[in-house]
Amino acid sequence: MYPDRVVSGMRPTGSMHLGHYHGALKNWITMQAEQPCLFFVADWHALTTHYDDPSIIEKATWDMLVDWLAAGIDPTQATLFIQSRVPEHAELHLLLSMATPLGWLERVPTYKDQIENLANRDLATYGFLGYPLLQAADVLIYRASEVPVGEDQVPHIEMMREIARRFNHLYGKEPGFEQKAQEAVKKLGSKRAKLYNELRTAYQQDGDDDALDQARAMLEEAGSLSMIDRERLFGYLEGSRKLILVEPEAKLTAASRLPGLDGRKMSKSYGNAIALREPKESVTTKIRKMPTDPARVRRTDAGEPARCPVWQFHQVYSDAPTQEWVQKGCRSAGIGCIECKQPVIDAIVAEQEPMHERAQPYLDDPSLVRAIVADGNETARKLAQETMRDVREAMGLSYT
Ligand code: TRP
Ligand code: SF4
């Protein structure tokens, strides 16, 4: 019923590094060419954990946008915006909160984990508990079908789906729904109406998921329907409610294969990160200082790549012949570690060169970024307002 829209966001809590690039951004860049994409800076989400020190958020927001552009997010393909500039997210969050059972939020695995992990911050707040609900609003407000996220976010997407289902169940009823739906079926024309009824029965009686997909595809193509009839027919396929909000799916990004310099997860707070726009000299120094297989004390000691974080970088950055050169050279002490690291340095520098180039105009003239985002905010806001109109109406709030 709605285009295959992709929505994803990131929290502006620090500078972006190569772990983010290989873990998420590369995936965004692939998707932007294939589907309508909305990518946003989740500044309100940053506040849930940084409410006592919001000063970093503004700078982190603009830096992150430059990083996205540098990485290759293309503002002529994707919509880039800032969450707090589309206040409809907050309105939907509030309205959804009315019918969200507390238990759903308390059960989200990241909730208790984070409270324990970030024990130095007081996270026993209303905002933090509501984090996944705000995230649900971020996505549902665009009726997105896919959300590219990492594994850790899957429970959040699951909860979003429950929220959408509950919303449709509670507010998608309308008096005489069955009759209105049947009238809408007639408007499909007799051939398609017959097919619709067959597919609906196949799904409802036999749980035939293919029939459901086929019927949805047919509705998407049926130009003769008004928006409201379309919502009815989508809902009628599955039951007796209108579909106002759409259940999105998680599109898993493979966990980043690029670890930090010390082999742990790359993270600024571990001091093991390479920034997305790290200066060339500093890339060289950082890689030269990387720990290697501890067994290679002397140049003549043989090593084992499996015990060396440099090898993990080769797996991301090097072609097969180079990888073989590493394997053989390391195990026979035929190459030294400094030598082994050079192709990694070269590859990272080469990967980052176009990023530095793309970033330069935005650094020279920050108003360019402001303008891109102003456009994006406006585009996003229009879409959000359309959904909110339907949401308010469904909840009986459209009186003037
Ligand atoms: N929670 C996400 C994270 O920590 C960020 C986020 C906020 C997000 N809203 C979103 C991701 C909506 C996808 C869709 O990474
Ligand atoms: Fe690591 Fe390469 Fe040294 Fe082997 S030769 S220990 S893979 S840096």
Side-chain angles (χ1 to χ4, degrees):
M1 135 165 75
Y2 305 104
D4 269 348
R5 224 174 255 155
V6 171
V7 171
S8 198
M10 284 188 203
R11 301 185 313 137
T13 49
S15 63
M16 302 210 63
H17 53 60
L18 288 183
H20 297 120
Y21 177 67
H22 288 276
L25 277 178
K26 264 169 91 170
N27 213 37
W28 289 15
I29 291 162
T30 317
M31 294 182 102
Q32 69 180 355
E34 294 164 356
Q35 281 157 275
C37 289
L38 294 134
F39 299 129
F40 69 95
V41 180
D43 55 344
W44 281 335
H45 275 109
L47 268 182
T48 61
T49 49
H50 291 64
Y51 61 87
D52 53 353
D53 181 20
S55 57
I56 60 150
I57 293 175
E58 180 176 358
K59 181 174 180 322
T61 292
W62 296 113
D63 286 352
M64 188 156 93
L65 285 159
V66 173
D67 282 333
W68 290 1
L69 293 162
I73 299 289
D74 176 356
T76 66
Q77 301 191 72
T79 301
L80 304 185
F81 70 99
I82 297 175
Q83 181 187 38
S84 66
R85 295 299 94 116
V86 186
E88 285 76 8
H89 289 223
E91 185 184 353
L92 183 57
H93 174 230
L94 176 88
L95 293 179
L96 294 176
S97 78
M98 302 300 169
T100 302
L102 271 180
W104 289 13
L105 295 168
E106 289 161 347
R107 259 195 286 120
V108 174
T110 44
Y111 178 63
K112 285 204 176 76
D113 286 2
Q114 287 270 66
I115 287 199
E116 281 163 22
N117 286 348
L118 302 176
N120 54 334
R121 298 205 179 111
D122 182 5
L123 294 180
T125 59
Y126 182 56
F128 189 69
L129 179 65
Y131 184 111
L133 190 63
L134 179 58
Q135 189 170 350
D138 293 338
V139 173
L140 298 178
I141 203 158
Y142 300 105
R143 293 165 158 154
S145 55
E146 284 181 75
V147 191
V149 284
E151 192 89 55
D152 62 315
Q153 297 285 309
V154 170
H156 292 183
I157 311 295
E158 283 303 314
M159 202 197 75
M160 268 176 215
R161 297 168 59 85
E162 286 175 52
I163 301 266
R165 231 175 288 146
R166 184 172 172 87
F167 186 95
N168 293 330
H169 180 75
L170 286 171
Y171 306 113
K173 339 184 220 281
E174 58 179 345
F177 175 80
E178 185 95 16
Q179 200 191 337
K180 284 180 186 160
Q182 276 162 11
E183 277 159 23
V185 174
K186 284 193 201 125
K187 291 182 198 162
L188 285 169
S190 61
K191 224 167 144 188
R192 277 199 290 211
K194 182 160 170 274
L195 181 61
Y196 177 92
N197 285 326
E198 282 166 9
L199 293 170
R200 178 172 181 264
T201 309
Y203 175 69
Q204 293 200 355
Q205 261 174 24
D206 316 323
D208 183 344
D209 288 326
D210 289 339
L212 181 63
D213 287 345
Q214 215 184 317
R216 284 178 173 161
M218 178 187 74
L219 289 177
E220 258 160 55
E221 280 162 23
S224 59
L225 290 176
S226 67
M227 192 68 148
I228 187 95
D229 276 339
R230 207 175 286 250
E231 281 177 357
R232 286 188 185 113
L233 289 188
F234 268 95
Y236 191 49
L237 274 176
E238 292 173 73
S240 56
R241 301 283 194 271
K242 277 193 291 188
L243 263 198
I244 299 150
L245 298 178
V246 172
E247 290 177 46
E249 272 175 46
K251 165 120 182 165
L252 277 189
T253 26
S256 174
R257 288 169 305 136
L258 191 71
L261 294 161
D262 56 2
R264 292 186 295 168
K265 182 176 152 66
M266 190 180 279
S267 160
K268 197 180 167 202
S269 56
Y270 292 162
N272 65 359
I274 299 180
L276 197 99
R277 290 177 280 126
E278 186 94 29
K280 191 173 164 178
E281 302 69 40
S282 150
V283 171
T284 310
T285 325
K286 282 187 171 177
I287 302 287
R288 291 237 165 100
K289 282 198 195 138
M290 259 179 98
T292 59
D293 177 1
R296 294 204 72 179
V297 182
R298 271 168 255 109
R299 165 73 177 76
T300 47
D301 297 331
E304 171 49 53
R307 285 194 299 260
C308 177
V310 178
W311 168 241
Q312 298 189 57
F313 276 58
H314 274 293
Q315 285 179 299
V316 172
Y317 283 105
S318 299
D319 58 13
T322 311
Q323 291 190 8
E324 207 179 306
W325 170 78
V326 173
Q327 293 272 342
K328 284 204 180 122
C330 181
R331 291 188 182 125
S332 64
I335 59 170
C337 291
I338 303 267
E339 216 179 331
C340 178
K341 287 171 170 179
Q342 194 56 44
V344 171
I345 296 175
D346 296 340
I348 296 177
V349 168
E351 175 176 74
Q352 292 191 329
E353 216 159 64
M355 298 192 192
H356 286 295
E357 272 169 32
R358 276 190 293 256
Q360 200 55 50
Y362 301 114
L363 299 173
D364 294 341
D365 181 2
S367 77
L368 294 175
V369 187
R370 304 291 195 278
I372 288 168
V373 173
D375 272 0
N377 291 340
E378 203 181 313
T379 306
R381 207 159 175 210
K382 281 206 190 105
L383 299 173
Q385 282 169 344
E386 276 172 29
T387 307
M388 284 317 294
R389 215 173 299 133
D390 293 353
V391 164
R392 287 188 211 109
E393 190 184 304
M395 292 181 78
L397 293 168
S398 44
Y399 36 77
T400 45

